[in-house]
Amino acid sequence: MKYFSKTQYCDFWQCPKMLWLRQNCPEKMSVDENARFRMDTGKNVGAYARNIFGEYVDVTVCEGACLDINKMLEKTRTEIEKGTPIICEASFEYSGMYCAVDILRKEDEGWSIYEVKSSTDPNKSVYMADIAYQKYVLQKCGINIKSTNIIFINNEYILEDELNINELFNIKNVDDEIKQEEILLQKNILFARQISSALKEPDIDISERCQNPYKCGFWEYCTSHIPSPSVFNLYRMKFKKKIDFYKKGIVSFNDLSDNPDIKNEKQKRQIKYHLEDKGTYINKRGIENFLDELSFPLYFLDFETVQYAIPKYTGTKPYQQIPFQYSLHYLDKRDGELMHKEFLAEIGTDPRKTLAERLCNDIPEDVCIIAYNKSFECDVIKNLASIYSELASQLLNIESNIKDLLL
């Protein structure tokens, strides 16, 4: 049997066309590495969150790489009949609608739904749609729902010697927040299932929903009719404003030329240089001024960082930027040979102190340093200086000598 899932409902909630395309034309979807990373992070966070109420039973059953939904439904019924107090991935089906609850917890004369999110913000509207759908299916299956809740990351939590699950996560009751979604739910489900079974692609144009709450993987497909370059290629313009231009029929660079609503000088220049076929814009005066500020020896610094939803190292928070690598090119003199130093952390170790020590050794005091994105590199160094007092003066000296390559 082919089920209609809460994932499909959330697709519909963002955009009915997304639901249809994912089912009928999945090959037109672009691979979004950020979306894949979010999914992997979500699975990891979910695995930790299961322990928040103590022992649990996980009813997940796989047949190869796919879930065996029928067996999961059967196992869920069995655990409920046994009175199991905490069931993870508790699965329910009503009239072809299926959902699996992250954590279903037994209460007096009923059950509570706990949806786990890897976000630090529990108030996203799509979360309410997700939970409202789960509550609807469970109630139709005869489950008495006492409360609906979101478990989310506490971004103020600092890891000490051991991970404290109850401090890592916050729990928010969302009974009131989902009421508006519940009012719309039956109508939405009817429409969503009609869209899901339709033979023809829905005629829905692009809008703000293409990036809200998530960037849609069908963006390239749905914008194939738009000339290139277009308003969507403009430098540093908010997506909402781009959509506003599009709705007014102002799309191509010809449409945008001399438009009074384009006030950003770099955007004006971008349009002008393309239309006049002037090639690449070179800010010669800016480059000259920048070069006048440089002195030798000259160092070029770039960090790579990682953010863990579940902090791994003592003293770190969820999603804190952890530097694990740097690349350092340098020139001793104007016509000198370009040299290179680098640092790459060992897997499984906290890289910060070793990286900070190596950085202090690799960069002499009071030399000129260039970074592509000064604010990012400076933030990394200042964070290291706040942790390692014995290195603070050297690190802050490095930070104070960084110049931004962005003109």
Side-chain angles (χ1 to χ4, degrees):
M1 179 177 180
K2 190 174 182 179
Y3 295 103
F4 183 83
S5 69
K6 68 173 184 175
T7 299
Q8 290 172 297
Y9 180 73
C10 289
D11 282 349
F12 163 82
W13 185 90
Q14 179 168 342
C15 176
K17 189 174 181 179
M18 183 196 295
L19 167 63
W20 192 92
L21 287 171
R22 198 189 293 265
Q23 288 189 196
N24 295 279
C25 306
E27 72 282 357
K28 298 185 185 300
M29 185 174 182
S30 300
V31 176
D32 185 346
E33 292 301 325
N34 289 329
R36 185 175 294 171
F37 177 77
R38 279 199 312 270
M39 289 179 63
D40 291 342
T41 299
K43 290 177 182 178
N44 187 37
V45 169
Y48 279 92
R50 290 179 176 184
N51 298 283
I52 199 166
F53 300 120
E55 292 186 7
Y56 61 87
V57 172
D58 178 8
V59 300
T60 302
V61 180
C62 291
E63 182 67 36
C66 300
L67 293 175
D68 190 326
I69 292 176
N70 291 331
K71 288 184 179 179
M72 290 175 67
L73 294 169
E74 183 181 337
K75 284 187 70 175
T76 299
R77 286 192 291 269
T78 299
E79 296 302 329
I80 288 177
E81 290 169 1
K82 286 166 57 177
T84 300
I86 302 170
I87 307 172
C88 293
E89 297 302 314
S91 299
F92 299 88
E93 180 271 334
Y94 170 75
S95 188
M97 291 179 290
Y98 166 79
C99 73
V101 179
D102 288 341
I103 301 174
L104 188 66
R105 188 185 188 193
K106 191 165 179 30
E107 309 282 0
D108 293 336
E109 301 179 356
W111 298 81
S112 287
I113 292 172
Y114 291 85
E115 175 72 7
V116 180
K117 298 299 180 185
S118 57
S119 173
T120 60
D121 176 11
N123 300 311
K124 296 180 181 179
S125 298
V126 67
Y127 296 168
M128 307 310 151
D130 185 337
I131 295 174
Y133 176 86
Q134 294 179 54
K135 181 180 178 182
Y136 176 83
V137 173
L138 267 64
Q139 286 181 323
K140 288 296 184 180
C141 291
I143 304 298
N144 181 25
I145 301 301
K146 304 293 288 186
S147 71
T148 52
N149 310 271
I150 290 180
I151 298 175
F152 63 102
I153 297 286
N154 171 18
N155 59 0
E156 296 301 316
Y157 171 71
I158 299 176
L159 178 65
E160 296 180 354
D161 293 335
E162 293 183 357
L163 189 67
N164 187 320
I165 295 295
N166 294 98
E167 292 182 6
L168 171 65
F169 292 107
N170 286 329
I171 300 176
K172 179 179 180 179
N173 178 277
V174 292
D175 291 344
D176 291 335
E177 285 85 344
I178 69 170
K179 285 179 180 177
Q180 185 60 35
E181 288 295 334
E182 290 182 280
I183 292 171
L184 302 171
L185 195 69
Q186 280 190 300
K187 180 180 178 181
N188 281 346
I189 287 175
L190 178 62
F191 185 25
R193 298 188 76 176
Q194 288 173 347
I195 292 289
S196 181
S197 59
L199 297 177
K200 187 178 178 181
E201 177 183 324
D203 184 15
I204 298 174
D205 203 357
I206 61 172
S207 67
E208 287 182 66
R209 74 178 81 193
C210 297
Q211 290 194 2
N212 184 27
Y214 307 113
K215 184 177 179 181
C216 176
F218 295 101
W219 171 256
E220 291 183 10
Y221 169 75
C222 291
T223 56
S224 58
H225 64 290
I226 294 176
S228 180
S230 74
V231 64
F232 295 103
N233 300 112
L234 276 184
Y235 174 82
R236 290 193 177 181
M237 178 181 283
K238 290 184 178 179
F239 186 69
K240 180 183 184 305
K241 188 172 182 180
K242 293 179 179 181
I243 289 293
D244 289 342
F245 274 115
Y246 174 80
K247 288 179 178 177
K248 295 174 184 175
I250 304 170
V251 183
S252 71
F253 275 19
N254 279 317
D255 299 332
L256 292 160
S257 180
D258 299 322
N259 189 293
D261 291 327
I262 304 292
K263 298 180 171 32
N264 183 290
E265 291 302 319
K266 291 185 178 180
Q267 292 167 3
K268 290 180 182 179
R269 188 183 302 128
Q270 182 184 0
I271 296 167
K272 177 181 175 66
Y273 267 63
H274 173 76
L275 293 179
E276 297 180 4
D277 197 22
K278 289 188 174 183
T280 302
Y281 168 75
I282 300 174
N283 183 357
K284 294 182 179 180
R285 177 63 61 84
I287 293 172
E288 288 174 358
N289 292 338
F290 177 74
L291 292 175
D292 287 342
E293 296 177 2
L294 304 182
S295 60
F296 291 89
L298 186 57
Y299 284 72
F300 304 85
L301 176 63
D302 179 55
F303 285 113
E304 296 296 335
T305 63
V306 64
Q307 293 175 286
Y308 297 112
I310 310 295
K312 289 189 174 185
Y313 309 123
T314 301
T316 62
K317 294 181 178 182
Y319 294 112
Q320 181 176 327
Q321 295 273 10
I322 306 295
F324 67 91
Q325 181 181 17
Y326 67 74
S327 174
L328 188 67
H329 287 87
Y330 62 100
L331 285 167
D332 286 330
K333 55 186 179 180
R334 184 177 297 275
D335 297 322
E337 180 183 358
L338 183 65
M339 307 292 283
H340 183 251
K341 296 180 181 180
E342 62 184 28
F343 173 86
L344 179 62
E346 292 185 19
I347 295 175
T349 63
D350 183 347
R352 292 173 298 162
K353 187 170 185 180
T354 306
L355 180 146
E357 291 172 338
R358 282 277 300 275
L359 191 69
C360 290
N361 287 332
D362 284 347
I363 301 181
E365 188 174 354
D366 294 328
V367 296
C368 189
I369 305 165
I370 295 177
Y372 178 73
N373 186 353
K374 176 181 176 179
S375 61
F376 175 75
E377 265 71 26
C378 286
D379 284 345
V380 169
I381 293 172
K382 283 187 284 190
N383 285 333
L384 292 171
S386 70
I387 300 168
Y388 306 112
S389 57
E390 69 276 21
L391 300 171
S393 62
Q394 290 173 274
L395 289 167
L396 293 176
N397 178 267
I398 292 171
E399 185 268 336
S400 67
N401 287 301
I402 294 179
K403 298 183 183 299
D404 201 335
L405 189 56
L406 293 175
L407 300 178

